[in-house]
Amino acid sequence: DADVTQTPRNRITKTGKRIMLECSQTKGHDRMYWYRQDPGLGLQLIYYSFDVKDINKGEISDGYSVSRQAQAKFSLSLESAIPNQTALYFCATRQGGNTEAFFGQGTRLTVV
Amino acid sequence: AQSVTQLDSQVPVFEEAPVELRCNYSSSVSVYLFWYVQYPNQGLQLLLKYLSGSTLVKGINGFEAEFNKSQTSFHLRKPSVHISDTAEYFCAVSEVIGGTSYGKLTFGQGTILTVHP
């Protein structure tokens, strides 16, 4: 089983719909991150969380919200999806700031 | 605020040739530096990291990188590439404040390495 699991792996949704992307980890890490990847732009940080009660906005948080339901779970929501949110979304976990981040396999989201 | 610039969006190279992927960063404080690789349809995995000490860092699959503080660079190199090295490579930085990193990890735009036979 993967250490960082994202569900769903692929999703097509309509403009204006609410959608949630889920991430769970079995590594016991305290820090969790959501990134979106667009061609030529690298990975842009949406939100990050240092523990259940500590959630921070990244560079591109507008239009997104998150929930850290437990140390192992970190969900990303699009309240009203729009086409320019079509992207590949990655969840990552990390234990401490000087360690490597472990990534999920990604969720490919298409908003039509 | 920290930022990362990868100077080449695409690097084509022939098999067994050497390669260098360039990365420059900007930060007002000390940093930790990372290189990640992304194979098609997969997530990212760590190639190597610089935290402190020797400025030449060796990673997996024969890759190495050199930290140059004066030039704020962390270029990735491999002396002889293989077809299987074809992938996208990302440089990333995490700032160190008060002796510890506060955890935000910023990525560059990515460099697509294509190795031709």
Side-chain angles (χ1 to χ4, degrees):
Chain A
D1 289 341
D3 295 321
V4 184
T5 302
Q6 293 183 232
T7 55
R9 292 292 312 278
N10 289 281
R11 180 72 179 268
I12 300 173
T13 192
K14 293 183 178 180
T15 297
K17 292 291 187 181
R18 182 180 188 274
I19 184 169
M20 179 182 288
L21 309 183
E22 298 187 344
C23 177
S24 63
Q25 51 120 343
T26 59
K27 300 192 72 67
H29 290 169
D30 56 357
R31 297 162 195 245
M32 297 187 74
Y33 305 77
W34 275 104
Y35 291 90
R36 66 174 280 175
Q37 182 180 17
D38 300 277
L41 296 180
L43 277 77
Q44 297 173 276
L45 183 61
I46 307 172
Y47 272 94
Y48 58 108
S49 171
F50 290 168
D51 64 38
V52 175
K53 296 181 180 179
D54 185 357
I55 294 177
N56 306 277
K57 292 183 177 180
E59 294 105 9
I60 56 162
S61 59
D62 287 348
Y64 301 95
S65 62
V66 291
S67 174
R68 186 85 183 262
Q69 301 95 325
Q71 187 187 33
K73 296 183 183 293
F74 192 37
S75 301
L76 177 72
S77 294
L78 287 68
E79 296 301 326
S80 179
I82 56 177
N84 76 1
Q85 291 177 313
T86 292
L88 184 57
Y89 290 84
F90 284 103
C91 174
T93 73
R94 202 176 179 200
Q95 183 63 31
N98 64 345
T99 60
E100 69 178 283
F102 290 84
F103 285 80
Q105 293 292 85
T107 296
R108 188 168 296 281
L109 176 66
T110 303
V111 183
V112 298
Chain B
Q2 64 205 45
S3 66
V4 181
T5 302
Q6 292 182 240
L7 300 165
D8 305 293
S9 59
Q10 298 191 52
V11 173
V13 65
F14 287 107
E15 194 172 19
E16 297 184 5
V19 71
E20 178 180 81
L21 306 184
R22 297 179 295 168
C23 172
N24 286 96
Y25 68 92
S26 174
S27 175
S28 57
V29 300
S30 298
V31 296
Y32 297 138
L33 294 156
F34 306 82
W35 274 99
Y36 287 83
V37 60
Q38 183 183 31
Y39 298 105
N41 300 312
Q42 294 188 24
L44 281 72
Q45 59 182 265
L46 184 72
L47 272 179
L48 49 77
K49 62 183 178 183
Y50 172 79
L51 304 182
S52 64
S54 174
T55 56
L56 183 62
V57 180
K58 295 189 182 297
I60 62 171
N61 301 338
F63 283 93
E64 63 182 32
E66 186 158 18
F67 170 56
N68 188 318
K69 186 175 182 179
S70 62
Q71 297 189 5
T72 60
S73 67
F74 191 54
H75 300 333
L76 181 71
R77 302 185 182 100
K78 186 170 183 178
S80 177
V81 294
H82 302 290
I83 297 287
S84 60
D85 292 323
T86 294
E88 189 161 15
Y89 293 79
F90 293 93
C91 182
V93 62
S94 183
E95 290 186 324
V96 182
I97 300 172
T100 59
S101 170
Y102 74 97
K104 183 178 172 183
L105 190 60
T106 301
F107 287 82
Q109 301 90 332
T111 297
I112 297 173
L113 174 65
T114 304
V115 181
H116 298 284

